[in-house]
């Protein structure tokens, strides 16, 4: 068993990818930046279905996901995937590559009716068992809609974010920098938060 769990199971998921996924790695000399860079080095050896680009971070270090044609998914991971969050990261890759997870028809129709641009920030920790559902829901919405972006933060690395939103528990979900919600959310509940953000 590797640090990424069952490697054969991961390879089985990668084998289902309809297309490669491009990951832009932005790193610096910070603990997070170096952790992301090291993750890329190790995780990248598991499959040739991921195309990596590396550049020095001008802002917060992270990994941004792009489709095979170069179009952005709107998903950025400010974290080193591990623990409970490794699976949600792999799901984001699978949903980007296609065919992706099934989505209820009412979610698809709701996304088509979204007006304007919205940003979802999910603050999580690697040991939180309720966080992956919220993370996966936010990522899925962003991948499906050009009007939504999703940023995932390993919040213990961001004291400024903890202070800004007075975070006492995770997952903490922030829509458009102002609407703050706590607790596990599925994709329909996450969509409702976006729809109600006026």
């Amino acid at each position: 068993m590797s640090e990424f769990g069952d490697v054969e199971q991961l390879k089985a998921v990668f084998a289902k990818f309809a297309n490669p996924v491009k990951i832009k790695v932005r790193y610096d000399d910070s603990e997070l930046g170096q952790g992301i860079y090291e993750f890329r080095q190790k995780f990248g050896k598991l499959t040739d279905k991921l195309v990596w680009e590396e550049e020095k971070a001008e802002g917060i270090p992270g990994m941004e996901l792009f489709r095979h044609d170069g179009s952005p998914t709107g998903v950025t991971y400010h974290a080193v995937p591990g623990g409970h969050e490794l699976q949600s990261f792999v799901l984001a890759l699978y949903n980007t590559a296609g065919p992706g997870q099934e989505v209820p028809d009412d979610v698809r129709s709701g996304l088509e009716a979204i007006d304007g641009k919205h940003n979802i920030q999910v603050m999580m920790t690697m040991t939180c068992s309720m966080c992956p559902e919220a993370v996966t829901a936010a990522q899925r919405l962003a991948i499906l809609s050009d009007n939504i972006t999703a940023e995932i933060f390993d919040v213990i690395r961001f004291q400024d974010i903890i202070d800004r939103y007075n975070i006492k528990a995770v997952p903490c979900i922030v829509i458009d920098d102002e609407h703050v919600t706590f607790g596990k959310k599925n994709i329909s509940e996450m969509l409702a938060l976006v729809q109600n953000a006026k």
Side-chain angles (χ1 to χ4, degrees):
M1 198 75 79
S2 79
E3 64 185 287
F4 301 123
D6 188 336
V7 171
E8 292 307 312
Q9 193 174 39
L10 277 175
K11 289 182 177 178
V13 175
F14 294 138
K16 296 177 183 177
F17 281 22
N19 297 290
V21 176
K22 178 178 159 186
I23 305 175
K24 188 168 285 189
V25 179
R26 299 186 176 97
Y27 67 96
D28 58 16
D29 294 330
S30 68
E31 184 181 346
L32 175 59
Q34 288 303 298
I36 287 172
Y37 184 80
E38 289 169 15
F39 174 85
R40 174 264 178 274
Q41 299 299 319
K42 296 175 182 176
F43 195 77
K45 293 176 181 175
L46 299 179
T47 179
D48 59 1
K49 296 290 184 72
L50 304 177
V51 179
W52 302 84
E53 282 189 10
E54 298 169 6
E55 61 183 44
K56 285 285 189 179
E58 293 184 2
I60 303 171
M63 292 182 285
E64 185 177 0
L65 307 189
F66 293 80
R67 299 176 186 87
H68 70 286
D69 63 2
S71 62
T73 62
V75 175
T76 303
Y77 224 87
H78 302 292
V80 181
H84 291 294
E85 288 303 333
L86 182 64
Q87 183 179 6
S88 57
F89 180 73
V90 172
L91 278 174
L93 299 176
Y94 175 63
N95 288 327
T96 299
Q101 298 166 287
E102 288 295 318
V103 176
D105 289 340
D106 62 326
V107 169
R108 288 188 182 276
S109 58
L111 280 172
E112 289 171 5
I114 291 288
D115 188 26
K117 302 288 186 182
H118 296 280
N119 175 252
I120 306 171
Q121 293 173 299
V122 182
M123 321 310 178
M124 56 75 176
T125 65
M126 297 297 168
T127 56
C128 166
S129 60
M130 293 193 300
C131 292
E133 186 171 11
V135 169
T136 300
Q139 292 172 339
R140 193 74 183 106
L141 293 178
I143 291 165
L144 287 167
S145 173
D146 291 339
N147 286 327
I148 296 175
T149 54
E151 292 183 274
I152 314 303
F153 291 86
D154 182 2
V155 77
I156 62 171
R157 300 177 184 268
F158 295 95
Q159 186 61 46
D160 58 325
I161 291 177
I162 292 173
D163 295 341
R164 186 185 317 156
Y165 299 113
N166 194 28
I167 297 173
K168 305 282 194 223
V170 288
C172 172
I173 300 151
V174 182
I175 310 294
D176 300 335
D177 288 327
E178 55 179 326
H179 305 279
V180 182
T181 308
F182 294 90
K184 184 167 69 170
K185 296 287 182 287
N186 62 31
I187 193 168
S188 297
E189 293 166 333
M190 190 70 73
L191 176 59
L193 292 179
V194 174
Q195 290 170 326
N196 294 329
K198 302 297 183 185

